[in-house]
Amino acid sequence: MTELAIIGSDMQEVVGSAIALKTLFGWPLWVGTLFTGCDTFTFMAIHYFGKRVLELFIFTLVMLMMVCFFTNFAFMPPPFSDLISGFAFSCPDYAALQLVGTVGAVIMPHNIYLHSALVQSRVVNREDRTHIRQANKYNLADASFALFISFFVNAALLASFANGFFVKDCAVRAGGPFACVPSPSGDACSGNVCDCTTAEGIKGTCGEIGLDQGGESLVLLLKNNGRLGEQLFALGVLAAGQASTMTGTFAGQYVMEGFLDLKVPIWLRTLFTRTIALGPAVVIAFLTSENANLNNTVSQWLNILQSVQLPFALLPVLHFTSDPTIVGAFVLKKRWQVICWLLALTVISVNIYLVIDKVKDAPAWAWILACAFFLAYLSFIFVIIRSDLKRFGRALRSLCAGSGSR
């Protein structure tokens, strides 16, 4: 299941990088797709200079993303009050699909294993508990800092596009949600009819803005800084695609070694996933040359795939870290177990809600397929956590027995 998530992510990274190359250099999408499918092997050569060199290279790509997306954010920053209000969680019906997709896009399932695997490259005296605790503390700081940076990169990108293109009338429109796409003239729309006005007072029409149209939309929105914003957006997307490809490849390597005990050379692992991902990516590149919205739809559902796969990556990690026979004295504390299991249950519930929401007005055969999906989905989850359910049942019986004796 985790390998499927990696292949789905790989398709997005290939197509996304191809779109960035098209914006930067004017290459056709299919050329950029083939180029991106091959260039990862070049970057993987850095691995042979040592993991520290590779980590530095990925860090450089992340910093490049941060500079690009924060510069665009600074061109037209949203009001501070709007940024703060974003922390008050709410999800209108029209945004459910985007919410689940964002969870899958930001919390890539396979990368949950990446930080755990990187610990293995650290020199730690595993016979000394004090040394292990110290290593755990520094690895926690390392992972927390990475997630902290990731949060601000994603927040800058989401906030700048939401501030520039979100209009509720477009979001609730049938067939949407849509964004408010600025008109080329800024004050006149197609057929002299303007559907919407952005928060910056720019008139436009309701339509889709995906990765392929993101740069062009920024040109219309940012005006004098538009061309620079477009180039920065494309450069940030290209850096994101390359960084995600490399981390995904290494995560897949660790998954195969850890779960299947397969020692596969990194170049062969890359060839395997890229070969599977490249075919559909090239097809999408050809089709989106005639229908740009198709890429948005495919990308959105690939993000949903990431979210659906998330429990299959998260639950084994929770199982291992909650089992004292595996981690001994370093077992996850009870309060953190409760919090983590509740978060995992929330992700599973959101996925179930999404499917129900999509088939509620569908014919009977769609409900049959949805029920079959639920049965398979929950069966897989049960197989993963059956021993944890038994442990929870024993703890619950002990608690009830203790309450009864009093």
Side-chain angles (χ1 to χ4, degrees):
M1 299 298 287
T2 305
E3 288 295 329
L4 285 177
I6 293 172
I7 291 169
S9 175
D10 220 26
M11 287 176 57
Q12 287 180 294
E13 289 147 10
V14 169
V15 175
S17 297
I19 290 172
L21 291 170
K22 175 187 175 184
T23 302
L24 290 170
F25 307 115
W27 295 0
L29 277 182
W30 67 270
V31 174
T33 300
L34 293 174
F35 177 83
T36 306
C38 299
D39 70 351
T40 305
F41 291 98
T42 304
F43 291 131
M44 283 298 166
I46 300 173
H47 171 65
Y48 292 98
F49 293 99
K51 287 190 177 180
R52 290 291 187 273
V53 177
L54 181 65
E55 288 175 10
L56 178 61
F57 181 66
I58 294 175
F59 177 78
T60 303
L61 291 176
V62 173
M63 289 299 103
L64 178 60
M65 277 191 294
M66 178 175 282
V67 170
C68 291
F69 294 150
F70 266 94
T71 302
N72 276 348
F73 177 84
F75 283 151
M76 193 171 285
F80 183 73
S81 59
D82 289 352
L83 281 176
I84 296 301
S85 66
F87 288 94
F89 178 76
S90 64
C91 181
D93 290 341
Y94 62 79
L97 186 66
Q98 284 68 31
L99 170 66
V100 179
T102 301
V103 170
V106 175
I107 315 173
M108 290 187 176
H110 49 279
N111 280 349
I112 289 176
Y113 294 103
L114 185 63
H115 282 289
S116 300
L118 290 176
V119 173
Q120 299 176 13
S121 66
R122 308 299 191 245
V123 179
V124 178
N125 181 2
R126 302 181 188 278
E127 303 300 323
D128 186 341
R129 285 194 176 185
T130 302
H131 200 190
I132 293 175
R133 290 188 189 280
Q134 188 180 46
N136 284 341
K137 180 178 70 174
Y138 287 118
N139 278 296
L140 173 63
D142 182 19
S144 300
F145 178 73
L147 292 173
F148 181 77
I149 296 296
S150 173
F151 169 78
F152 279 104
V153 170
N154 284 288
L157 183 62
L158 286 172
S160 58
F161 271 77
N163 180 57
F165 304 112
F166 176 78
V167 172
K168 187 173 181 179
D169 288 343
C170 292
V172 300
R173 180 165 296 193
F178 297 113
C180 184
V181 184
S183 65
S185 62
D187 55 3
C189 304
S190 177
N192 294 322
V193 177
C194 292
D195 295 316
C196 56
T197 303
T198 70
E200 302 298 328
I202 301 174
K203 297 184 181 300
T205 57
C206 296
E208 288 193 13
I209 298 179
L211 205 58
D212 201 11
Q213 303 96 348
E216 296 174 1
S217 300
L218 286 173
V219 171
L220 300 174
L221 178 70
L222 300 178
K223 297 181 179 178
N224 293 336
N225 293 318
R227 288 299 171 190
L228 177 58
E230 179 188 34
Q231 297 298 306
L232 287 172
F233 174 73
L235 190 59
V237 169
L238 182 61
Q242 297 308 312
S244 298
T245 294
M246 284 184 285
T247 56
T249 299
F250 281 103
Q253 179 80 2
Y254 297 131
V255 166
M256 293 182 75
E257 289 181 0
F259 284 106
L260 304 178
D261 198 25
L262 295 176
K263 307 294 183 181
V264 180
I266 193 95
W267 66 267
L268 186 59
R269 173 70 182 72
T270 306
L271 180 64
F272 173 72
T273 56
R274 272 292 147 106
T275 301
I276 295 177
L278 198 57
V282 172
V283 171
I284 292 170
F286 274 111
L287 293 178
T288 52
S289 62
E290 301 295 332
N291 181 6
N293 288 336
L294 176 64
N295 180 52
N296 302 336
T297 304
V298 172
S299 180
Q300 192 173 72
W301 282 103
L302 286 174
N303 285 335
I304 301 300
L305 171 67
Q306 302 281 351
S307 182
V308 170
Q309 299 283 6
L310 189 55
F312 299 107
L314 182 60
L315 294 179
V317 172
L318 289 177
H319 167 73
F320 296 145
T321 56
S322 302
D323 190 346
T325 63
I326 297 176
V327 293
F330 301 98
V331 66
L332 198 63
K333 294 185 183 300
K334 295 295 183 183
R335 63 177 180 275
W336 289 113
Q337 287 188 37
V338 171
I339 292 172
C340 292
W341 283 104
L342 286 175
L343 289 173
L345 183 62
T346 301
V347 172
I348 295 169
S349 301
V350 167
N351 288 328
I352 293 174
Y353 166 78
L354 176 69
V355 176
I356 293 175
D357 183 64
K358 288 299 171 186
V359 300
K360 61 184 178 183
D361 298 321
W365 63 265
W367 277 100
I368 294 173
L369 287 178
C371 291
F373 167 79
F374 280 136
L375 183 62
Y377 190 64
L378 295 176
S379 298
F380 273 120
I381 290 174
F382 175 77
V383 169
I384 294 172
I385 64 171
R386 61 184 183 276
S387 60
D388 301 279
L389 292 175
K390 291 178 181 178
R391 189 163 59 246
F392 175 75
R394 288 194 297 268
L396 193 62
R397 283 195 297 271
S398 299
L399 182 62
C400 292
S403 299
S405 62
R406 288 195 296 268

